[in-house]
Amino acid sequence: MSQPQLGRRRLFARQPCGASALALLALLALLPLPPLPLPLPQPLAAGANCPCPEPELCRPIRHRPDFEVFVFDVGQKTWKSYDWSQITTVAVFGKYDSELMCYAHSRGARIVLKGDVSLKDIIDPTFRASWIAQKLDIAKTQYMDGINIDIEQEVNCSSPEYDALTALVKETTDSFHREIEGSQVTFDVAWSPKNIDRRCYNYTGIADACDFLFVMSYDEQSQVWSECIAAANAPYNQTLTGYNDYIKMGINPKKLVMGVPWYGYDYTCLNLSQDHVCTIAKVPFRGAPCSDAAGHQVPYKMIMKQMNSSISGNQWDEDQQAPYYNYKDPAGHFHQVWYDNPRSISLKATYVQNYGLRGIGMWNANCLDYSGDAVAKQQTEEMWDALKLKL
């Protein structure tokens, strides 16, 4: 409708009822009526801002795979070189990348956001509701398929945080399942349910409340109660003991995804014996006299480059079923590096298959060398292949 027409109608609306008004009305009746106003624009449809080349790629993934391969991505573009023939879920722990979302959906893989929050805050039900609403809004806006809740804070068994954490997981799962069709809610737990790092959680309640648990079977030296020596990040028997304990609690193996490390620990040795025992500094952690904080994390791609120049070459520890090597730094200090490789990971993947676990995954997929170098390419492919089910 044009402005003059609007002005004329408003002018007429203010005229008094009388003879002159009736005459004017008769005159105006002979004029063509102005066009009816157009309807106001409706809010944009859910997929109107879809960043993908094909709008259907913004729809949530509904398929539930028989075997889960859960991948953590911390950023950059290395995801373009991942083995997408296996991946079922990507947890985005780096900056959101719409291109990654579109590609994951094109391969039938879910993409989920990270959920972290202070446990002191979640005691308040109103705060929990607000936090969940905020995460849901992000997931919808970014066309994501759920959330991976990563909370690794201390909890006392008798504290209000104990029940509040279980409530948070249940309420998050209920909201996501209701609001996003096919969505997935997962929770990250320590390698063992036995109050690791003073984390007393209601593991059976949390497992019941979400789709599955991602078991972080690494950093298993975060609390060292025995002698302070360098050891495997995820020793085989210790790792399996953790799963057996979860299952004994009554948690269905189909609710457990095994997380394996694609990184290792570099320890400076106070003393390195002839039989490769590396004594480390006493760095206490949450009550334990020693911890892996005496070392530092090293990604697999760096380990592979450094091992060739080590003084020991690749070694294998039969007790821990894990590889390690020793090297000497420019200052003359001896170091010992413990890590996981295709051999140690394959052993754990066999357990996953034999005991019917939900799947396997890693922290984190960016740790491999995707440069395209021939040797690195083979090493990277072998790490991905170690995750596969052996038919």
Side-chain angles (χ1 to χ4, degrees):
M1 185 183 293
S2 66
Q3 286 304 314
Q5 290 166 329
L6 271 172
R8 184 176 66 187
R9 287 191 62 178
R10 286 171 183 156
L11 177 66
F12 170 65
R14 291 195 293 270
Q15 296 296 322
C17 288
S20 59
L22 290 171
L24 181 59
L25 181 60
L27 179 63
L28 288 175
L30 300 174
L31 297 175
L33 288 171
L36 292 171
L38 295 172
L40 292 172
Q42 296 299 309
L44 290 170
N49 292 323
C50 176
C52 305
E54 299 167 14
E56 58 266 26
L57 294 179
C58 283
R59 293 181 186 142
I61 301 296
R62 302 177 195 171
H63 171 68
R64 299 284 179 189
D66 294 330
F67 188 76
E68 183 76 36
V69 176
F70 198 98
V71 173
F72 285 90
D73 181 272
V74 297
Q76 304 169 1
K77 293 287 186 180
T78 55
W79 60 263
K80 293 185 176 183
S81 301
Y82 294 169
D83 182 355
W84 287 95
S85 68
Q86 300 190 65
I87 298 170
T88 56
T89 301
V90 179
V92 178
F93 273 45
K95 188 178 178 181
Y96 174 72
D97 183 348
S98 61
E99 189 184 3
L100 168 57
M101 181 276 293
C102 297
Y103 190 79
H105 281 184
S106 76
R107 300 302 301 257
R110 285 181 174 80
I111 185 157
V112 300
L113 71 153
K114 176 185 179 181
D116 189 12
V117 62
S118 168
L119 288 178
K120 287 184 173 56
D121 292 331
I122 66 168
I123 296 169
D124 178 6
T126 305
F127 179 91
R128 291 200 302 268
S130 173
W131 183 85
I132 294 166
Q134 179 193 38
K135 294 301 178 186
L136 253 176
D137 184 60
I138 294 171
K140 288 179 177 179
T141 303
Q142 298 178 344
Y143 303 99
M144 300 178 86
D145 305 279
I147 186 169
N148 172 253
I149 303 174
D150 182 57
I151 295 174
E152 303 177 34
Q153 299 158 45
E154 285 186 39
V155 172
N156 188 292
C157 298
S158 58
S159 69
E161 286 90 349
Y162 179 88
D163 290 324
L165 180 57
T166 311
L168 176 77
V169 177
K170 185 178 189 317
E171 291 160 12
T172 302
T173 304
D174 290 345
S175 295
F176 268 80
H177 283 183
R178 183 175 61 251
E179 297 288 331
I180 301 174
E181 188 177 4
S183 61
Q184 176 179 281
V185 177
T186 56
F187 188 88
D188 300 335
V189 296
W191 64 270
S192 163
K194 295 192 172 179
N195 292 9
I196 300 303
D197 303 342
R198 294 179 178 164
R199 282 178 266 173
C200 180
Y201 298 171
N202 178 4
Y203 291 105
T204 54
I206 291 171
D208 288 340
C210 67
D211 290 299
F212 58 83
L213 305 177
F214 182 91
V215 186
M216 298 179 287
S217 299
Y218 37 77
D219 294 350
E220 294 183 26
Q221 310 307 323
S222 63
Q223 290 176 296
V224 179
W225 300 96
S226 57
E227 52 187 335
C228 298
I229 60 173
N233 184 13
Y236 181 74
N237 288 329
Q238 185 170 313
T239 297
L240 268 50
T241 297
Y243 287 93
N244 292 340
D245 288 340
Y246 276 116
I247 293 167
K248 283 177 188 173
M249 294 176 79
I251 296 175
N252 189 325
K254 289 298 179 190
K255 284 270 188 171
L256 302 172
V257 168
M258 178 185 285
V260 296
W262 277 6
Y263 66 94
Y265 275 87
D266 181 328
Y267 294 96
T268 302
C269 304
L270 300 179
N271 179 65
L272 181 62
S273 71
Q274 286 191 335
D275 56 352
H276 303 291
V277 176
C278 169
T279 306
I280 60 175
K282 292 185 178 181
V283 182
F285 183 69
R286 290 180 178 170
C290 306
S291 68
D292 55 19
H296 64 272
Q297 292 184 7
V298 196
Y300 188 76
K301 57 187 172 186
M302 286 182 58
I303 288 168
M304 288 296 95
K305 289 175 182 175
Q306 188 182 57
M307 188 180 63
N308 293 331
S309 59
S310 66
I311 58 175
S312 67
N314 185 39
Q315 300 289 316
W316 180 262
D317 186 282
E318 285 294 340
D319 290 335
Q320 301 180 74
Q321 296 286 290
Y324 69 95
Y325 62 87
N326 306 320
Y327 75 92
K328 197 173 185 178
D329 67 24
H333 299 121
F334 289 104
H335 292 245
Q336 192 167 82
V337 179
W338 288 86
Y339 61 103
D340 273 80
N341 65 3
R343 181 180 176 184
S344 65
I345 291 171
S346 292
L347 291 170
K348 295 165 189 169
T350 299
Y351 175 89
V352 169
Q353 185 168 4
N354 290 344
Y355 283 81
L357 268 59
R358 177 70 165 259
I360 196 167
M362 85 297 291
W363 179 268
N364 63 65
N366 306 78
C367 287
L368 305 186
D369 187 337
Y370 300 100
S371 64
D373 170 80
V375 174
K377 191 170 186 289
Q378 182 180 350
Q379 292 168 345
T380 293
E381 287 176 358
E382 288 172 352
M383 286 290 273
W384 280 102
D385 285 345
L387 305 176
K388 291 180 179 177
L389 291 173
K390 307 299 185 283
L391 301 175

